[in-house]
Amino acid sequence: MEELMPWGVGALTAVSVRAALDIASPAGSRRGEGRVHSDVLRLRALALARRLGGWVHVPARVERVVDAWAAEAAHLAAPLVGPAARERTAARGTLYLQVAAGALLGFVVALSPWGLLVGAVAPAAVCASRAARRARETARRVEAAMPEAFQALAISLGSGHSLAQALRFVGAHAEEPLRSAFLEASLEITCGVPAHEALQELLRRLPAPGLGLVTTALAVSQRTGAPLRDLLGRAAGMVGERIELARRLEVKTAQARLSARLVTAMPVVLMGALTLLSPDFRAGIASVAGALSVVVALALDAVAWLIIRKIMEVKV
């Protein structure tokens, strides 16, 4: 392995220099020539990502997780590859390419299989962190928009509109992702899908607070004709109070949450940095005792993070 490392580094250097020469415009050439080479490389990278994304099979259970990570990988790569990288197959391929590039870079830096592992995990960890943060932001945006949606639904139903018309009215005046969810529910009812099934599908697509109670009430009202104006008004007030309480809790626990993230992330980051940069550390974890110590330390770190999250968890 050690004899092959210089050849591998030399080959990677040659490829990097060749790519740089292809992208950069040579001296005395036309200004647009470098841009043409850059567009060709971008199209080749996009084609490779699409092929790789369609070739690698993803189990059905982890498809949603991989797609969320792939969306973040495509968002990061969009300035280099273009907006077409956000298409599903290309996004998955972009994620796989980033993992492969990270593994290759880790191997070059550490000249060790441990660097290969750390480099492969790092891009996936970044995409997972960004995906989790985006999911939290989406949930907050949906929760903040629900009181207005309930009020609009109450006004529309109180004006004599049917359930499909009321859902279409809410979707027409709401922003994403509420817009698509309510319009799809309205279209399903218009096309003949039973109201309770369309409302259950709406709840599945949009797991917002208070929406479960409202969908149940809407299904009952659809059968019995009972008025829902007061119920929808109370649901809007309940969600508004929940949002205010969640904001207060977020402010009061901000320091504790930041401390928990730092305490749990620091050992993992330091371990990865030492694995890439320190031959003595790599030699230590290559032994049975060292590997066992790392596994125990990571397990204790994960348990501590779960305990801290359980302590700070407050259901509102």
Side-chain angles (χ1 to χ4, degrees):
M1 178 65 71
E2 294 181 356
E3 295 178 356
L4 295 177
M5 285 182 183
W7 294 96
V9 175
L12 290 172
T13 305
V15 171
S16 302
V17 172
R18 177 61 181 170
L21 290 177
D22 285 340
I23 295 176
S25 177
S29 64
R30 297 187 304 272
R31 290 184 178 180
E33 188 174 349
R35 183 177 300 174
V36 171
H37 287 295
S38 177
D39 291 340
V40 170
L41 291 176
R42 179 179 299 178
L43 292 175
R44 289 179 179 176
L46 182 60
L48 177 60
R50 285 174 174 167
R51 183 177 301 177
L52 188 61
W55 178 66
V56 179
H57 175 70
V58 179
R61 293 182 178 180
V62 297
E63 268 193 351
R64 294 182 62 182
V65 177
V66 172
D67 286 340
W69 295 6
E72 297 302 325
H75 182 74
L76 291 173
L80 297 176
V81 184
R86 299 179 182 179
E87 183 248 333
R88 185 180 184 185
T89 304
R92 287 186 180 182
T94 304
L95 174 64
Y96 303 149
L97 287 176
Q98 289 183 7
V99 170
L104 199 60
L105 181 61
F107 179 78
V108 171
V109 172
L111 295 180
S112 169
W114 290 103
L116 198 74
L117 177 62
V118 173
V121 170
V126 171
C127 292
S129 176
R130 289 174 58 92
R133 183 176 61 184
R134 192 177 295 274
R136 289 193 299 268
E137 292 176 353
T138 302
R140 291 173 184 171
R141 189 167 63 250
V142 169
E143 186 177 8
M146 289 313 298
E148 184 177 354
F150 290 157
Q151 293 288 356
L153 195 60
I155 293 173
S156 181
L157 290 174
S159 301
H161 291 168
S162 65
L163 180 59
Q165 291 173 335
L167 293 175
R168 189 183 309 116
F169 176 78
V170 175
H173 294 83
E175 297 181 355
E176 295 293 348
L178 270 69
R179 178 183 178 86
S180 298
F182 277 92
L183 288 179
E184 287 179 12
S186 173
L187 182 61
E188 289 174 355
I189 296 176
T190 304
C191 293
V193 177
H196 67 278
E197 294 183 8
L199 292 173
Q200 287 300 321
E201 187 66 18
L202 172 64
L203 183 60
R204 187 191 64 81
R205 287 192 299 261
L206 201 67
L211 188 58
L213 174 63
V214 170
T215 53
T216 303
L218 286 174
V220 173
S221 176
Q222 186 72 10
R223 294 179 180 179
T224 63
L228 290 176
R229 188 179 185 90
D230 293 339
L231 176 62
L232 291 172
R234 286 197 297 269
M238 179 186 67
V239 175
E241 293 176 359
R242 184 183 186 277
I243 294 172
E244 182 62 27
L245 181 57
R247 287 176 180 174
R248 293 181 182 179
L249 287 174
E250 186 175 359
V251 171
K252 292 183 179 297
T253 60
Q255 184 176 358
R257 286 186 285 108
L258 179 60
S259 300
R261 291 172 184 172
L262 289 176
V263 169
T264 53
M266 232 188 304
V268 179
V269 174
L270 287 176
M271 192 178 300
L274 289 174
T275 301
L276 290 176
L277 302 177
S278 175
D280 295 335
F281 186 81
R282 291 196 296 269
I285 61 177
S287 63
V288 177
L292 183 60
S293 299
V294 169
V295 171
V296 171
L298 291 177
L300 291 175
D301 196 40
V303 170
W305 170 245
L306 292 176
I307 292 175
I308 294 172
R309 285 194 62 182
K310 190 66 176 178
I311 292 174
M312 293 191 305
E313 182 180 3
V314 180
K315 294 183 179 181
V316 294

